[in-house]
Amino acid sequence: MTQQPLRVLCLHGYTQNAQKFRDRTGPFRRSLKRALELVYVTAPHQATDFQPPEPAVDDGPSAAWWNRSGRPWAEIKQSVRFLRQTMHEQGPFDGILGFSQGSGMAAILMALIQAAHTQSTAFSSNDVELAALVDELAACPPPKFAMLFAGFYPDLPQFDALIKGPAGSIAVPSLHMVGEKDAIVPMERGKLLASQAFVDATLLTHEGGHFVPCNAAWRKRYQEFISALPAQ
């Protein structure tokens, strides 16, 4: 019997949207189409911290999972609720793929879902709001793996509370790809996400910058990671 592709929720980077990310991951998507069914979604917020140059052709909204200025956690909560609804309407998903800010959003979402499924989870009286958000995700099946590119550890006290709390670091197989010449997200920030937020992390380094590498050698490494996942 032919194994069905794993369904993967794909979270784009800052100022991107679902179509932009789909276009920019075309070689990755086509080369792994027998292994992965990629579902792209657009973040619910307008990117306001930075705007890319006006494109010659309209390529959709410049979206964000959160903006650093203003109230980032309030926007993250809205993004979490948007993704919860997406998972309910378009799921189930076997895994999550993130790029840049989308990798940080994936880590936040997975930490919240893990906390919701950890019976011993308890938060201090100062974390009532965080506990309420965790409770909202109890019906979401935990993703079984993550593939994160050009990611970073979200520098937020709420994320620290999740990772350093009773639920602990995210306990699923994860692949982390960082670029030695990434001028947008320094490589060390991606390494920190892998080492501090995930238990079973595979860290890979490529020689390029801020993109998803997909030459033949890297496609082989991605396929090896997917093939080594526990039976679904």
Side-chain angles (χ1 to χ4, degrees):
M1 180 181 294
T2 302
Q3 185 176 352
Q4 293 296 312
L6 300 173
R7 300 193 75 239
V8 180
L9 179 62
C10 299
L11 310 185
H12 61 75
Y14 194 74
T15 74
Q16 293 184 339
N17 56 53
Q19 189 60 51
K20 285 182 189 177
F21 191 34
R22 188 178 189 277
D23 291 344
R24 293 181 184 182
T25 53
F28 176 92
R29 173 171 44 83
R30 290 189 292 271
S31 66
L32 294 172
K33 63 182 180 180
R34 294 184 180 179
L36 303 177
E37 178 189 348
L38 305 180
V39 178
Y40 296 81
V41 293
T42 296
H45 303 290
Q46 174 72 28
T48 58
D49 290 331
F50 169 79
Q51 286 295 321
E54 191 71 25
V57 178
D58 182 16
D59 57 359
S62 179
W65 300 105
W66 74 88
N67 291 284
R68 291 189 302 273
S69 59
R71 301 175 60 198
W73 186 250
E75 292 189 344
I76 286 171
K77 287 194 299 181
Q78 293 173 11
S79 292
V80 167
R81 289 170 176 140
F82 164 77
L83 291 171
R84 179 195 63 189
Q85 188 65 22
T86 298
M87 295 173 77
H88 173 71
E89 294 176 352
Q90 301 186 43
F93 293 101
D94 299 292
I96 297 182
L97 183 152
F99 175 74
S100 195
Q101 191 189 58
S103 291
M105 189 68 236
I108 292 169
L109 179 66
M110 295 176 76
L112 286 164
I113 294 174
Q114 178 169 284
H117 288 264
T118 302
Q119 296 299 317
S120 61
T121 297
F123 296 96
S124 70
S125 58
N126 294 328
D127 294 321
V128 173
E129 187 178 28
L130 181 58
L133 187 59
V134 167
D135 288 343
E136 292 181 28
L137 295 168
C140 291
K144 302 179 182 70
F145 68 94
M147 300 179 73
L148 306 179
F149 298 85
F152 56 86
Y153 186 98
D155 187 17
L156 297 159
Q158 296 89 345
F159 186 66
D160 281 340
L162 289 164
I163 295 302
K164 298 174 182 177
S169 298
I170 301 163
V172 301
S174 59
L175 182 146
H176 303 256
M177 175 65 79
V178 298
E180 293 178 351
K181 298 177 182 177
D182 193 332
I184 297 175
V185 178
M187 181 172 61
E188 295 305 318
R189 296 188 70 192
K191 291 182 176 180
L192 187 65
L193 176 65
S195 64
Q196 298 296 314
F198 288 83
V199 174
D200 186 11
T202 298
L203 179 65
L204 301 176
T205 302
H206 67 93
E207 297 179 349
H210 197 65
F211 59 87
V212 177
C214 198
N215 62 25
W218 288 124
R219 292 197 298 270
K220 181 179 179 182
R221 296 298 298 271
Y222 303 148
Q223 188 61 64
E224 289 172 351
F225 171 79
I226 295 165
S227 298
L229 292 171
Q232 304 298 314

